């Protein structure tokens, strides 16, 4: 050999170095860590550069396996290019997946083989599922609108039914001619008021009234004139009593009144004012003589007792007093006489005790 030529190492040394390098490479690939090289390999710059190259690739592939596509690979060469391409493809896949997540199910990919097929199949199935959900949503919205309309119709019908029920209830309790309580409703209100008076111990009076000369008015001037007279008298009676007193049409030209919390003297004074108000109201035609007037029979109800003190017997006593007032010329108040209870006379009216 020439003086400038280096002698080749013996074959045994070359084989030993190759074996050490092989073991170091396997250690690097299996553990992911850079091995401690023997001094003579560590001194070889190309070998250390190779291991540094492998460690960068190892780190990038490890990150990629965990879904991290952002680990920088500042290397050149075919292998580094493959890793960079994988990173780029996965980043693009993640971006496409984000678009699908935002609702764009038209996204497809064609650069990753079987993964592309799986991704595209997922997109198609999601698009179909979304279309079905939208169809169901529209169907449910339509059903909801129909249900809301049905509810609105039912609510309106219920309101109409309640209004009609109130109207019918009012018709059933109000006298259609005069607009005051009819006989049935008067009894209902009077019984409630008598129960209240019984509990509180307050007095209570009942009066029966009948129009004087009313038949003459109907016969000579017609029933239309008579109906007008009844309406006007009902209005005078209603406006002339207290808010908690009760007035009703008993039948024909008869009216019935209940004075709650009033004794005989107070109730009689109210009836006398009503008699004067009717006389001054000009109910009758100017040429009618004698004019229409009113006769009243009054009784005080003993709300603590039984028998004759029931509403029915009080009406009988007041009715008898009213007929006594009519027999004495009408246009007056007569007070009913209270007699001791007698079993065989409990349904008979009392005779009036005095006239006012």
């Amino acid at each position: 050999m020439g003086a400038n030529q280096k002698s080749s190492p013996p074959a045994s040394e070359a084989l030993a170095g190759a074996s050490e390098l092989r073991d170091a490479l396997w250690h690097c690939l299996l553990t992911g860590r850079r091995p401690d090289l023997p001094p003579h390999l560590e001194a070889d710059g190309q070998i250390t550069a190779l291991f540094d190259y492998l460690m960068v690739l190892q780190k990038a592939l490890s990150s990629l396996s965990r879904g991290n596509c952002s680990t920088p690979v500042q290397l050149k060469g075919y292998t580094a290019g493959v890793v960079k391409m994988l990173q780029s493809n996965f980043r693009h896949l993640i971006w496409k997946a984000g678009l699908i997540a935002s609702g764009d199910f038209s996204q497809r990919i064609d650069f990753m083989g079987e993964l592309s097929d799986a991704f595209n199949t997922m997109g198609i199935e999601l698009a179909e599922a979304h279309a079905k959900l939208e169809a169901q949503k529209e169907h449910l919205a339509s059903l909801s609108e129909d249900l809301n309309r049905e509810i609105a119709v039912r609510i309106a019908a219920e309101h109409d039914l309640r209004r009609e029920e109130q109207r019918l209830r009012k018709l059933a309790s109000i006298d259609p001619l005069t607009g005051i309580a009819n006989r049935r409703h008067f009894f209902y209100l009077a019984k409630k008021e008598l129960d209240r008076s019984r509990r509180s111990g307050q007095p209570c009076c009942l009066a029966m009234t009948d129009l004087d000369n009313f038949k003459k008015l109907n016969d000579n001037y017609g029933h239309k004139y008579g109906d007008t007279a009844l309406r006007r008298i009902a209005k005078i009676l209603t406006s002339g009593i207290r808010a908690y007193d009760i007035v009703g049409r008993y039948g024909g030209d008869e009216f019935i009144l209940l004075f709650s919390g009033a004794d005989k003297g107070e109730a009689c004074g109210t009836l006398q004012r009503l008699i004067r108000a009717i006389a001054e109201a000009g109910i009758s035609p100017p040429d009618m003589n004698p004019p229409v007037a009113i006769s009243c029979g009054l009784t005080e109800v003993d709300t603590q007792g039984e028998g004759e003190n029931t509403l029915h017997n009080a009406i009988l006593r007041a009715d008898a007093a009213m007929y006594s007032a009519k027999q004495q010329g009408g246009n007056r108040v007569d007070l009913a006489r209270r007699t001791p209870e007698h079993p065989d006379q409990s349904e008979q009216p009392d005779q009036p005790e005095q006239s006012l």
Side-chain angles (χ1 to χ4, degrees):
M1 288 186 182
N4 295 329
Q5 291 181 331
K6 294 182 180 179
S7 60
S8 299
S12 58
E13 292 181 9
L15 289 174
S19 177
E20 291 176 343
L21 180 59
R22 180 197 61 198
D23 293 341
L25 288 172
W26 274 114
H27 182 276
C28 180
L29 293 173
L30 293 174
T31 65
R33 294 191 297 272
R34 191 178 186 280
D36 294 330
L37 298 175
H40 64 279
L41 293 179
E42 189 70 45
D44 191 326
Q46 292 183 343
I47 290 178
T48 56
L50 173 62
F51 277 98
D52 290 339
Y53 186 92
L54 288 175
M55 292 308 301
V56 172
L57 292 179
Q58 183 94 9
K59 183 178 179 181
L61 289 172
S62 178
S63 297
L64 194 61
S65 69
R66 295 192 299 271
N68 183 0
C69 304
S70 302
T71 302
V73 182
Q74 298 176 349
L75 299 174
K76 296 181 180 181
Y78 175 80
T79 305
V82 171
V83 174
K84 293 177 182 179
M85 183 178 294
L86 279 174
Q87 289 180 329
S88 176
N89 287 345
F90 277 115
R91 282 197 295 268
H92 193 73
L93 180 64
I94 293 171
W95 174 64
K96 289 282 189 176
L99 293 176
I100 288 181
S102 66
D104 183 3
F105 301 107
S106 64
Q107 297 299 319
R108 302 290 183 268
I109 60 175
D110 57 2
F111 49 82
M112 296 191 73
E114 293 179 0
L115 186 58
S116 296
D117 294 339
F119 182 88
N120 294 338
T121 299
M122 178 191 69
I124 292 170
E125 292 178 353
L126 286 174
E128 293 175 352
H130 182 262
K132 290 180 181 179
L133 287 175
E134 288 297 314
Q136 291 177 354
K137 182 179 178 181
E138 292 179 2
H139 179 62
L140 290 175
S142 177
L143 290 178
S144 178
E145 290 179 3
D146 293 341
L147 181 60
N148 288 335
R149 283 193 293 268
E150 179 66 20
I151 291 173
V153 169
R154 288 179 180 269
I155 291 175
E158 183 179 356
H159 288 169
D160 292 342
L161 182 62
R162 288 181 180 177
R163 284 195 295 267
E164 182 65 12
E165 181 182 0
Q166 292 174 355
R167 186 184 71 84
L168 293 176
R169 187 176 298 170
K170 184 177 180 180
L171 289 176
S173 61
I174 299 300
D175 174 59
L177 177 63
T178 60
I180 62 176
N182 59 21
R183 181 172 178 170
R184 177 182 178 183
H185 192 53
F186 175 86
F187 284 160
Y188 169 76
L189 296 175
K191 288 177 181 177
K192 290 180 63 177
E193 192 58 37
L194 287 176
D195 288 341
R196 190 192 66 79
S197 296
R198 183 175 293 110
R199 292 192 301 270
S200 64
Q202 292 183 324
C204 190
C205 289
L206 182 138
M208 292 291 296
T209 71
D210 185 79
L211 298 187
D212 302 325
N213 308 312
F214 185 70
K215 184 177 184 302
K216 179 180 178 180
L217 177 68
N218 274 334
D219 292 344
N220 295 340
Y221 299 92
H223 289 281
K224 185 176 181 180
Y225 211 115
D227 290 346
T228 301
L230 288 173
R231 284 193 290 267
R232 292 184 63 188
I233 289 173
K235 186 174 182 180
I236 292 172
L237 294 177
T238 302
S239 60
I241 60 177
R242 299 166 302 179
Y244 43 88
D245 293 332
I246 308 170
V247 61
R249 187 181 179 191
Y250 194 74
D253 58 338
E254 290 184 322
F255 296 89
I256 185 169
L257 299 98
L258 187 74
F259 301 98
S260 177
D263 59 22
K264 187 165 50 179
E266 294 170 325
C268 187
T270 300
L271 289 174
Q272 289 175 333
R273 288 194 297 273
L274 292 173
I275 289 173
R276 288 194 297 271
I278 290 171
E280 296 169 358
I283 302 295
S284 307
D287 58 346
M288 181 177 171
N289 191 26
V292 171
I294 188 170
S295 295
C296 305
L298 176 66
T299 184
E300 187 171 11
V301 183
D302 183 4
T303 57
Q304 302 304 315
E306 300 293 339
E308 67 168 349
N309 298 314
T310 63
L311 181 61
H312 176 68
N313 285 329
I315 291 174
L316 291 177
R317 292 197 309 275
D319 195 58
M322 178 192 70
Y323 277 105
S324 175
K326 291 183 73 68
Q327 290 171 0
Q328 297 179 63
N331 198 30
R332 59 186 288 132
V333 181
D334 270 20
L335 303 180
R337 176 175 57 88
R338 184 184 300 278
T339 59
E341 277 193 80
H342 196 284
D344 59 359
Q345 295 180 356
S346 61
E347 298 297 325
Q348 299 299 319
D350 297 332
Q351 299 300 317
E353 85 176 353
Q354 68 180 80
S355 302
L356 296 176

